[in-house]
Amino acid sequence: MLATRKLLSLVMALVAPSVHASTVDTSAGGLSISRVIGGLEEPWAIAFLPDGTALVSERGGRLLRVADGAGQPIAGVPEVMAEGQGGLLDVMVPADFDQTREVWLSFAAPAGRGGATAAGVGRLSPDGRQLENFRIVFFGEPYRGGRHFGSRLVEMPDGAIALTTGDRGTGPAGMQAQDPKLSAGKVILLSREGKPAVAVEGWTPGILSIGHRNIQGAALDLSGRLLTVEHGARGGDELNAPEAGRNYGWPVISYGIDYNGDRIGTGTAAEGMEQPLHYWDPSIAPSGLMVYSGRLVPEWRGDIFFGSLNSDFLGRLDPDAPAATGFAEERISAPETGRVRDVVEAPDGSIWFLSVLDGAVYRMAPAE
């Protein structure tokens, strides 16, 4: 209990003094939203160090160590292609950080006249100011343009690292996401050393699943199962639970239509292709994913949280409540929830999310 109180005090100390904390009505009652840090330029991801300190990535290429309402830039970040949707993307801190001090990054890497989804790992210096000996462990094939890089990083229960990629905007006519030899539109599984951690017969080693459009959120549920959310076109955003050797359909099947109104592929189902756990039509552009422990809000234990990039809400799915599109959904809307790119659970059980619209990170929790 004493350790828990110390951690709670530390995380609260990292929250910047706010001019005011707003209250938002939810199914769990009124919750307080306070600003942790503002003044960010297109923030993309949040991760926590074991001491409760937050790391925040900005798409333009900065990685920040956030404390006391201020962000300290961390040196040693790789060069990124900050064009279109590309740039510095996800940041992930493995469970054994206290021993390894490893920090993983995913990013759009420049490659010739285009760019590629890439991932790498470095060691955070003792003073927290530099990523030392950063090395790239994954580099996808390059494509022209700056669309659909993915990309999220998740540590699996066995220590392997799941990396998600997008189809690079190849569209309904492009079959790259269906090609098991290519990295576009896939979930990739890597060892901690960056080696392929799965082998499906006939597929490039390391590819776990195929047929994804643009995975913008990934997390483990409370049983250790990998979940992902990906963008559709006009409709057809999906929540999936990717498994080895499975095909999730894009662009052969989809619950959405193309931007010009045409049907995509063969419809909503095909033999040998998986159905989503949940889908959205019209599109909400889901981004970020977190499965909540229930620590501060017990009635939300096991529920799935995500952001929306084209709307103004933080979403919650209840896997125990079925609905026509999969699971029952709650949309938590407040002045702070504009274009939510990422959502994570802090060590104290509060829910942190970042707003691209505000250039800020917010903390949501029961009022003290």
Side-chain angles (χ1 to χ4, degrees):
M1 180 63 72
L2 181 59
T4 298
R5 289 176 178 169
K6 286 182 177 178
L7 183 57
L8 177 60
S9 298
L10 178 59
V11 173
M12 285 302 297
L14 297 174
V15 179
S18 184
V19 175
H20 75 281
S22 66
T23 299
V24 61
D25 291 328
T26 76
S27 60
L31 298 179
S32 175
I33 298 178
S34 55
R35 192 178 73 175
V36 177
I37 185 173
L40 303 175
E41 297 183 12
E42 200 154 350
W44 216 92
I46 316 169
F48 285 97
L49 300 176
D51 65 1
T53 302
L55 302 180
V56 176
S57 64
E58 292 178 325
R59 193 180 62 79
R62 287 202 309 173
L63 179 65
L64 304 174
R65 184 175 179 271
V66 175
D68 300 321
Q72 171 66 49
I74 297 172
V77 175
E79 179 187 4
V80 304
M81 189 189 91
E83 298 178 17
Q85 298 167 357
L88 182 59
L89 304 176
D90 209 8
V91 53
M92 190 275 290
V93 177
D96 63 358
F97 175 85
D98 280 336
Q99 291 75 47
T100 66
R101 299 197 64 82
E102 285 188 354
V103 173
W104 284 65
L105 301 175
S106 68
F107 54 101
R113 293 186 174 182
T117 299
V121 58
R123 285 177 166 77
L124 188 64
S125 61
D127 62 6
R129 292 178 177 269
Q130 181 160 345
L131 269 186
E132 300 173 336
N133 303 316
F134 187 87
R135 60 190 178 94
I136 295 176
V137 299
F138 174 84
F139 202 100
E141 68 273 1
Y143 294 85
R144 292 284 192 93
R147 297 178 61 201
H148 298 189
F149 291 92
S151 131
R152 294 290 176 181
L153 293 160
V154 176
E155 184 178 15
M156 301 295 286
D158 63 358
I161 308 299
L163 166 69
T164 73
T165 72
D167 71 345
R168 293 307 318 280
T170 51
M175 295 297 287
Q176 286 85 347
Q178 285 291 315
D179 188 338
K181 299 293 186 181
L182 301 176
S183 68
K186 310 297 190 298
V187 176
I188 312 292
L189 198 64
L190 304 171
S191 72
R192 288 292 294 275
E193 294 73 36
K195 306 294 185 182
V198 65
V200 176
E201 185 177 357
W203 294 14
T204 293
I207 292 180
L208 180 81
S209 59
I210 68 174
H212 301 284
R213 184 170 184 265
N214 191 20
I215 299 177
Q216 292 276 305
L220 299 182
D221 70 11
L222 300 188
S223 69
R225 178 179 61 162
L226 179 66
L227 300 178
T228 60
V229 285
E230 63 187 82
H231 293 188
R234 286 177 57 187
D237 302 335
E238 295 183 0
L239 169 73
N240 288 302
E243 296 182 18
R246 301 292 179 89
N247 184 341
Y248 292 84
W250 179 260
V252 179
I253 61 172
S254 174
Y255 281 88
I257 58 175
D258 200 0
Y259 295 108
N260 62 8
D262 290 348
R263 188 177 76 167
I264 293 173
T266 62
T268 60
E271 185 177 355
M273 296 184 177
E274 305 301 315
Q275 286 291 300
L277 300 178
H278 184 94
Y279 69 91
W280 291 268
D281 186 15
S283 175
I284 63 161
S287 185
L289 198 66
M290 178 267 286
V291 179
Y292 189 58
S293 73
R295 183 168 183 176
L296 293 184
V297 186
E299 55 264 53
W300 284 349
R301 177 175 169 79
D303 289 356
I304 301 163
F305 285 78
F306 55 92
S308 169
L309 290 175
N310 69 7
S311 301
D312 63 349
F313 66 87
L314 178 67
R316 180 184 68 87
L317 297 176
D318 182 354
D320 296 324
T325 55
F327 304 135
E329 180 178 350
E330 176 182 12
R331 297 185 173 185
I332 300 168
S333 183
E336 297 85 357
T337 58
R339 293 203 75 214
V340 174
R341 172 70 75 176
D342 199 14
V343 55
V344 299
E345 180 176 350
D348 67 344
S350 59
I351 295 171
W352 289 32
F353 62 90
L354 59 81
S355 165
V356 177
L357 192 65
D358 292 352
V361 175
Y362 293 100
R363 178 183 185 269
M364 184 172 73
E368 299 296 325

